[in-house]
Amino acid sequence: MFLIKNGRIWDGEKFFYGDVLTDGAAVSQIGQDLTCEKGYVFDAKGCIVAPGLVDGHIHMHGLSIPRYSIPAESACFPFGVTAAADAGSTLGSRELLDHIAVKNVVFPSAKIVNGSLDRPITLQRMEHYGDKAVGIKLVLDTGIPGITDGTPLYQVCDLARELGCKVLVHCTDSPIPMAQIVEALAPGDILTHIYHGGSHTCLEEDFAAFRLAREKGVVLDAGFAGHVHTDFGVLKTAAQAGFYPDTISTDITRASAFFRGGRYGLTMAMSMAKAVGMPESDIFRSVTTAAAHALGQSQWGRLQVGGIADIAVLEDTNESFFLKNSNGNTLESQTGYRCVLTLSNGVVVHCDKWR
């Protein structure tokens, strides 16, 4: 048994104060003044006790290409993340996914040749990961040889409709406007790196893509990548206009974890959103229930009696960061979220500060 006391609880929908008791891999009680005769007690006074966080865009070792990939446990557990999606899988296998301690799904990468979708290879990748493949990842970027128009987007969307799966679109330096991308997407599809500073930013069309996405039910994902796929001038302007992301993800890689502007992970990405004024309830929803829903995993991102004992305990402390993007725009804060405890299936997988 494991008892977490005196915390400000986020259950996936609302904040309240109380205690959380686990028994094995499940949450057994949530309430006031709970006790346990056997087991461990963690004092979460001054902390937020949340469901295990969900990062919808990472690059896991063994699945993504080696120069980007990082062991899932390193990219997730120190930041309170207990479930994640690999965005762009081409390696590994369905069996490998079962041996990763972080709960997971994947978006196999669409194979693009001469500006068109290679359907056989893309289908092969989807089949390779079986039920773990929840959608197709498309990098719609003119930096990819042959991508000059929206052809691969429309082809990937057609294939996804046939398969009944989602589409995840990386939209930095797209050959077509962001609103045109959203027009092609279906409800539940995901547009990531929405605050980029490359070709066809959200500012150029006065947030038309964001408005259309909200009307259609297309998920707007931050996909911050620290400063790499985020222009802080764009982010701040969007935030001032009230266009916050539906989900916050890291796009964390071996080049960014613990390094990019501070200790980079989902907690820092959440801190970035908080620094531009995103309400705390929206921040926590974006990395719990909203992220889980976007990935089609209703069992993730909720803290409830009888549910999985995946728990993240975070404090808002002197976790400072300083970021500068390629255009010279900056984002910084002297405080930020820091994960002090992570439980996965009721087991402590990270403890930064024992209380």
Side-chain angles (χ1 to χ4, degrees):
M1 301 179 78
F2 199 101
L3 176 61
I4 302 172
K5 290 191 64 66
N6 306 317
R8 181 182 174 216
I9 297 172
W10 170 258
D11 65 359
E13 295 295 339
K14 62 186 181 301
F15 283 111
F16 57 94
Y17 287 89
D19 308 333
V20 178
L21 180 64
T22 71
D23 188 357
V27 175
S28 58
Q29 294 184 63
I30 299 175
Q32 301 288 331
D33 302 319
L34 300 183
T35 60
C36 69
E37 296 181 1
K38 298 179 180 179
Y40 298 92
V41 178
F42 186 91
D43 185 1
K45 184 177 181 179
C47 297
I48 295 174
V49 181
L53 308 183
V54 181
D55 192 339
H57 188 158
I58 74 171
H59 292 278
M60 301 182 196
H61 180 69
L63 298 170
S64 289
I65 60 176
R67 69 189 177 108
Y68 291 133
S69 63
I70 180 173
E73 294 80 1
S74 298
C76 294
F77 289 152
F79 306 104
V81 176
T82 57
D86 183 84
S89 313
T90 58
L91 306 175
S93 64
R94 174 65 178 78
E95 290 71 27
L96 172 65
L97 293 170
D98 287 333
H99 291 286
I100 294 174
V102 176
K103 296 174 178 65
N104 58 76
V105 292
V106 299
F107 287 89
S109 182
K111 176 70 173 178
I112 307 300
V113 179
N114 297 324
S116 293
L117 176 69
D118 185 323
R119 283 177 59 99
I121 294 297
T122 304
L123 277 168
Q124 184 180 33
R125 290 175 177 176
M126 292 294 290
E127 294 168 357
H128 187 62
Y129 297 109
D131 61 341
K132 291 280 191 174
V134 296
I136 305 170
K137 165 78 176 290
L138 171 66
V139 179
L140 190 67
D141 189 315
T142 53
I144 304 298
I147 293 187
T148 59
D149 57 27
T151 297
L153 170 66
Y154 307 131
Q155 293 173 331
V156 167
C157 287
D158 287 343
L159 178 57
R161 304 305 160 248
E162 293 176 26
L163 299 177
C165 69
K166 299 174 182 289
V167 176
L168 170 66
V169 179
H170 164 127
C171 66
T172 65
D173 288 314
S174 165
I176 60 176
M178 198 178 292
Q180 194 172 333
I181 298 174
V182 175
E183 287 175 357
L185 298 179
D189 287 342
I190 304 167
L191 187 67
T192 190
H193 308 314
I194 59 173
Y195 304 114
H196 72 84
S199 302
H200 299 300
T201 72
C202 60
L203 301 187
E204 293 174 22
E205 55 188 26
D206 191 26
F207 306 113
F210 290 5
R211 294 188 181 92
L212 180 59
R214 288 180 174 177
E215 291 175 10
K216 293 186 65 173
V218 170
V219 177
L220 297 172
D221 177 59
F224 281 133
H227 61 275
V228 174
H229 292 312
T230 305
D231 182 297
F232 299 119
V234 173
L235 172 61
K236 291 174 182 178
T237 302
Q240 289 171 359
F243 289 107
Y244 299 115
D246 297 315
T247 59
I248 295 174
S249 67
T250 60
D251 190 17
I252 195 170
T253 70
R254 64 186 295 183
S256 59
F258 306 98
F259 174 75
R260 191 166 283 167
R263 194 167 73 143
Y264 186 68
L266 191 57
T267 47
M268 183 169 151
M270 295 163 65
S271 301
M272 292 165 62
K274 188 173 184 179
V276 297
M278 188 172 179
E280 192 161 59
S281 58
D282 290 342
I283 292 172
F284 274 82
R285 185 174 293 107
S286 75
V287 295
T288 55
T289 45
H293 179 73
L295 300 176
Q297 306 298 315
S298 61
Q299 74 278 24
W300 297 349
R302 293 184 181 276
L303 194 57
Q304 56 191 0
V305 174
I308 303 169
D310 287 355
I311 302 173
V313 180
L314 311 181
E315 61 179 0
D316 197 2
T317 185
N318 57 346
E319 188 82 347
S320 63
F321 61 88
F322 177 83
L323 294 160
K324 179 186 289 187
N325 62 259
S326 60
N327 293 335
N329 295 315
T330 62
L331 184 68
E332 62 181 306
S333 176
Q334 296 306 306
T335 62
Y337 296 111
R338 185 181 184 90
C339 178
V340 295
L341 180 73
T342 308
L343 270 65
S344 177
N345 295 321
V347 176
V348 176
V349 291
H350 169 76
C351 186
D352 195 54
K353 184 186 296 183
W354 192 258
R355 295 160 174 246

